[in-house]
Amino acid sequence: PDPLSDITRIRMRTRANRCLYPGATFQGTQKSGRNSYDVTVTIVDVDFATSFLCGYLCIRGLTDDWPELTTYFDAEIIGSRHGFLTQNWGASENEDLVHWSRFPAFRQIKHEAKRPRLTIDDRDRGAVFMRWKEKFLVPDHRVHDINGASFAGFYYVCVDFNPAATASSNTVCDVVTDDERGGRKQQRTRRGSNTKKTSVTRSPASPVPYAAPVATMSGFYYHQNSEPYQQLSLSHVPETCSSSFEFR
């Protein structure tokens, strides 16, 4: 074909969804027993049309030999193509339901799941469910055996686009104090009070700035021979700008 011809009409466009786009970063921890490890997840590619996502998972401090361990993973996005039943990697239906039920978002939509594979319709529910399967170590894919670490299992993952907001409120808090002279108790507010009968001009309260909720990513690692319910707790790292490249 002519190298100068316009191929815009036939190129493949990445189909992302909110914070799930190529280059998106999530940071947080993975807890295993009493231990906690720093984790960074970077999305490499995502295509909701084919229910596919892939990326890198970097965990720090897991082993002495590998202070920073990075693996590449493929993900199945739960929907009409992939159901909540794993049917692979040693996971039974009971294990699937126990793990998925740990996500509050799943408990709200589990009645929609359809047999036999517990699939759901492809539409926006404010959350995305996935299964991650780590494939190999980065950068040396030939390493398969790591002392103190294993990626033979998989992750149950939920990305919640609208987590519960924890915005601070500028409310008046009543504080009860003792009056030194009469032993009486009177109410005061954190903004201050005046016990004299004088008029006080109060300026209107300044509006509290609203911060959009940051998407969260949570997950549970499963393997028959591993400690159960090793938990991922990550948050999306917002970007002020984004860029994309196309090679022709």
Side-chain angles (χ1 to χ4, degrees):
D2 183 2
L4 300 179
S5 62
D6 183 13
I7 61 172
T8 303
R9 61 182 179 83
I10 61 174
R11 72 185 183 192
M12 297 296 293
R13 294 181 180 272
T14 298
R15 300 185 181 182
N17 186 357
R18 305 191 194 184
C19 64
L20 296 178
Y21 55 86
T25 301
F26 293 80
Q27 291 182 342
T29 59
Q30 175 168 321
K31 292 184 178 180
S32 177
R34 296 182 178 180
N35 299 318
S36 181
Y37 309 97
D38 292 334
V39 171
T40 299
V41 169
T42 303
I43 306 300
V44 174
D45 192 21
V46 58
D47 187 358
F48 277 83
T50 59
S51 303
F52 173 79
L53 182 146
C54 64
Y56 298 120
L57 187 152
C58 177
I59 183 169
R60 288 170 284 277
L62 187 61
T63 67
D64 295 333
D65 296 334
W66 296 84
E68 187 170 283
L69 193 66
T70 302
T71 56
Y72 167 85
F73 66 87
D74 281 343
E76 299 174 347
I77 299 176
I78 305 302
S80 59
R81 185 186 298 263
H82 303 292
F84 286 104
L85 295 187
T86 304
Q87 300 178 327
N88 201 354
W89 307 311
S92 64
E93 178 175 342
N94 181 66
E95 290 288 356
D96 286 334
L97 294 178
V98 167
H99 282 79
W100 289 122
S101 296
R102 286 178 168 261
F103 301 114
F106 174 76
R107 295 195 292 267
Q108 298 176 7
I109 59 96
K110 64 180 180 180
H111 64 280
E112 301 179 29
K114 303 174 183 177
R115 292 286 180 176
R117 293 180 296 118
L118 297 184
T119 55
I120 56 176
D121 296 334
D122 296 321
R123 61 183 179 85
D124 189 0
R125 293 176 173 81
V128 172
F129 303 93
M130 295 179 281
R131 263 186 302 269
W132 291 359
K133 183 67 181 79
E134 294 171 288
K135 295 293 188 177
F136 53 82
L137 199 65
V138 178
D140 192 351
H141 67 280
R142 297 170 296 180
V143 177
H144 296 286
D145 187 16
I146 301 174
N147 186 25
S150 171
F151 46 88
F154 69 97
Y155 285 91
Y156 298 89
V157 176
C158 174
V159 178
D160 191 346
F161 298 128
N162 301 298
T166 56
S168 60
S169 59
N170 188 21
T171 57
V172 177
C173 299
D174 290 336
V175 180
V176 178
T177 62
D178 290 330
D179 184 87
E180 296 180 356
R181 292 172 296 178
R184 297 174 303 172
K185 292 185 177 180
Q186 60 182 13
Q187 286 192 338
R188 296 178 56 191
T189 64
R190 184 169 296 175
R191 292 179 184 169
S193 64
N194 192 336
T195 57
K196 296 181 180 179
K197 296 182 179 180
T198 56
S199 59
V200 179
T201 303
R202 300 181 183 272
S203 59
S206 58
V208 178
Y210 172 76
V214 177
T216 59
M217 175 184 286
S218 54
F220 296 97
Y221 181 78
Y222 174 77
H223 186 260
Q224 292 173 318
N225 300 325
S226 297
E227 180 181 341
Y229 310 122
Q230 299 179 49
Q231 185 174 1
L232 278 177
S233 299
L234 312 174
S235 296
H236 178 238
V237 181
E239 298 179 72
T240 56
C241 61
S242 61
S243 60
S244 60
F245 302 89
E246 180 179 283
F247 295 95
R248 294 191 173 188

